[in-house]
Amino acid sequence: GGSITIRGESLSISNGGFIDTAVFGQGNAGNVSINATGLVTLDGGVVFSGIERFSFNGAERNGIGNAGNISIETPLLDIQDGGLTTSTFGSANEAQSGESDADSISTIAISADEIKLSGNSGILADTFGSARGGDILLQPYAPGGDIEITTVGDASPISASTAFDSSGRGGNITIQNAEIARLENTELFTSSSGSGDAGGISVQNVGVLLMRH
């Protein structure tokens, strides 16, 4: 699939708006790159990269391929009733011969000083097939700075998971390159509902980790 790049001062996606690099059928989805010097808001908006179901001869079928990467660089990411999602079906090698699984792992990479989640919001990396699930990487807007992740109310966790009928390993969640990392009422969650292992959660090159629920 094709890729989308957005650069500017600020970005707002609202009222059911979306940025989508999905593929219907066989192939790998495109990447999404957002770089803003100001606020990025998803107010009922979604950024999605993945593989969609499609119709063939009147039958619904799953596509085959890997999600693309979602990269967001902003001082403040505010997600209200919206989300960032990558979704992988099938095997990377089925989608594109000669490409190794390690080369095709998708990543949601967020570089922000502050991330706010509220309402029906989430940051999700899912896999529904045999391919390795996508990773989630969280770090400050400027390397070595601070990052604060705040969840208001019952917003969904930041999650890397596998579906019930999948066999691929789940993705990892990493917080890295921060002097101070603060998590306020925020859950990081990796799980496997299929036969593959769940991914891990790690903190790398962080001076102080503060968690409050």
Side-chain angles (χ1 to χ4, degrees):
S3 295
I4 296 173
T5 300
I6 299 172
R7 300 183 186 279
E9 182 176 345
S10 61
L11 173 68
S12 178
I13 306 171
S14 60
N15 299 322
F18 60 89
I19 297 174
D20 187 341
T21 58
V23 168
F24 293 81
Q26 181 168 309
N28 292 331
N31 301 322
V32 178
S33 176
I34 298 171
N35 190 321
T37 57
L39 172 66
V40 173
T41 302
L42 304 181
D43 186 0
V46 173
V47 178
F48 176 80
S49 178
I51 311 301
E52 298 276 19
R53 292 177 62 86
F54 67 101
S55 296
F56 182 74
N57 289 338
E60 288 289 322
R61 300 188 179 183
N62 291 329
I64 297 175
N66 272 348
N69 300 314
I70 297 176
S71 173
I72 297 182
E73 298 181 27
T74 175
L76 173 57
L77 174 61
D78 190 2
I79 305 177
Q80 310 166 27
D81 295 312
L84 309 173
T85 303
T86 59
S87 179
T88 295
F89 281 90
S91 165
N93 291 328
E94 292 178 88
Q96 186 170 330
S97 60
E99 183 178 71
S100 71
D101 288 340
D103 292 335
S104 58
I105 296 170
S106 65
T107 302
I108 299 175
I110 302 174
S111 300
D113 295 332
E114 189 172 0
I115 301 169
K116 292 183 178 179
L117 299 167
S118 61
N120 186 24
S121 301
I123 299 173
L124 312 171
D126 299 324
T127 184
F128 295 86
S130 60
R132 161 82 151 73
D135 293 333
I136 299 174
L137 178 64
L138 309 168
Q139 61 186 7
Y141 182 61
D146 298 344
I147 181 171
E148 181 171 343
I149 306 170
T150 302
T151 300
V152 178
D154 296 324
S156 299
I158 298 172
S159 171
S161 63
T162 70
F164 178 75
D165 58 352
S166 66
S167 59
R169 182 183 181 277
N172 301 314
I173 300 176
T174 302
I175 300 175
Q176 68 176 25
N177 299 337
E179 180 65 27
I180 301 174
R182 298 183 181 89
L183 275 64
E184 296 279 347
N185 194 38
T186 299
E187 295 183 11
L188 306 180
F189 185 72
T190 62
S191 67
S192 175
S193 298
S195 59
D197 293 334
I201 298 174
S202 64
V203 178
Q204 301 176 4
N205 193 28
V206 172
V208 178
L209 175 65
L210 302 174
M211 302 178 68
R212 184 169 65 179
H213 190 63

